């Protein structure tokens, strides 16, 4: 898996990682991004928003840069993505991509497309599926 992720980082191919919390998704992205010679850490934007446990803490974002909380609760996820630094040698991680509200999906997709067009490596992460009671 690490070879695939490293290749995606070098080629700037968008990537979606799925796994349980704490399995090292952020660590894998950070390591692959560093192998490209990038001087900056990946920027992390969390689609789960401020309601997510430990959002914004270094432990929760894997020390990958400035976490920005967005998603529901009145936060504009696409604005957070547009405000993130982009360009060659940059990486943008959208955590909890499965938490993007349907009404925000088109604007989020445009923001991610714009970042990718500027040479930013775009990575999405999802966690385990949860069942609604």
């Amino acid at each position: 898996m690490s070879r695939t992720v490293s290749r995606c980082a070098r080629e700037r191919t968008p990537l979606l990682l799925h796994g349980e919390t704490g399995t090292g998704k952020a660590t894998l992205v950070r390591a692959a991004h560093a192998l490209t010679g990038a001087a900056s850490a990946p920027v992390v934007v969390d689609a789960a928003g401020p309601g997510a446990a430990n959002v914004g803490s270094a432990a929760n974002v894997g020390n990958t840069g400035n976490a920005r909380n967005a998603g529901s609760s009145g936060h504009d996820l696409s604005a957070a993505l547009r405000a993130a630094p982009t360009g060659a040698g940059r990486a943008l991680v959208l955590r909890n991509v499965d938490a993007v509200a349907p009404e925000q999906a088109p604007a989020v997709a445009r923001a991610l497309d714009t970042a990718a067009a500027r040479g930013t490596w775009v990575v999405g992460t999802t966690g385990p599926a949860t069942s609604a009671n």
Side-chain angles (χ1 to χ4, degrees), residues 1-10 28 32:
M1 176 189 259
S2 62
R3 277 188 273 190
T4 300
V5 173
S6 295
R7 186 179 69 243
C8 288
R10 281 190 313 276
L28 184 61

Side-chain angles (χ1 to χ4, degrees), residues 25-27 29-30 40-44 58 61-67 91 93 95:
K25 295 180 299 287
T27 301
V29 169
R30 189 173 56 251
S40 63
V43 173
V44 177
V61 298
N63 295 317
T64 55
N66 299 322
V93 179
R95 291 188 69 228

Side-chain angles (χ1 to χ4, degrees), residues 39-109:
S40 63
V43 173
V44 177
V45 177
D46 196 335
N54 299 321
V55 169
S57 73
N60 200 35
V61 298
N63 295 317
T64 55
N66 299 322
R68 297 195 174 133
N69 301 328
S72 56
S73 305
H75 290 86
D76 185 350
L77 178 56
S78 64
L81 291 168
R82 287 190 311 271
T86 59
R90 297 279 191 173
L92 177 59
V93 179
L94 178 56
R95 291 188 69 228
N96 300 306
V97 69
D98 48 333
V100 173
E103 63 274 7
Q104 289 191 4
V108 167

